[in-house]
Amino acid sequence: MGDIVRHACFTDLRIDGGRVHHVLTSPTGPSVTLWAQEVFGWVQIFVTPHFPSAEPGELAIAIEPMTAPPNALRSGVGLRWLESGEEWTLTWGITLAA
């Protein structure tokens, strides 16, 4: 992953059962899945070697489900405006597979 991307946003995500799924696998450990409702139409990926680790060269990967792309406040893309008192509840989660 570290050779592919350091910081990027993706869209046109595949929806399966009303959710998007982002799966991280490791050759030495379990896989981790971040899932989110399909309203999270973008995902931000950040990869860095700068974190506390016992192993040199290991990378940390952050995945953030987003309802709008970067710069949405300027472009207006993906924005949802809530009226006074209106609520908008969204769901996402993380699962670990052995």
Side-chain angles (χ1 to χ4, degrees):
M1 188 74 191
D3 294 334
I4 299 169
V5 63
R6 288 282 186 210
H7 193 200
C9 182
F10 300 95
T11 191
D12 294 327
L13 307 173
R14 186 178 56 146
I15 299 168
D16 181 17
R19 293 180 173 176
V20 294
H21 298 85
H22 313 288
V23 180
L24 293 175
T25 59
S26 165
T28 60
S31 66
V32 176
T33 300
L34 184 144
W35 57 266
Q37 290 175 296
E38 63 183 289
V39 70
F40 290 94
W42 292 265
V43 63
Q44 187 79 27
I45 308 289
F46 180 71
V47 180
T48 182
H50 303 293
F51 73 102
S53 172
E55 298 294 325
E58 283 188 333
L59 299 173
I61 302 173
I63 303 175
E64 178 186 1
M66 302 189 317
T67 59
N71 210 22
L73 292 176
R74 184 173 287 195
S75 70
V77 174
L79 290 183
R80 177 179 171 132
W81 297 97
L82 300 178
E83 296 296 326
S84 179
E86 183 181 2
E87 294 182 11
W88 189 32
T89 303
L90 306 174
T91 305
W92 62 270
I94 298 173
T95 57
L96 178 67

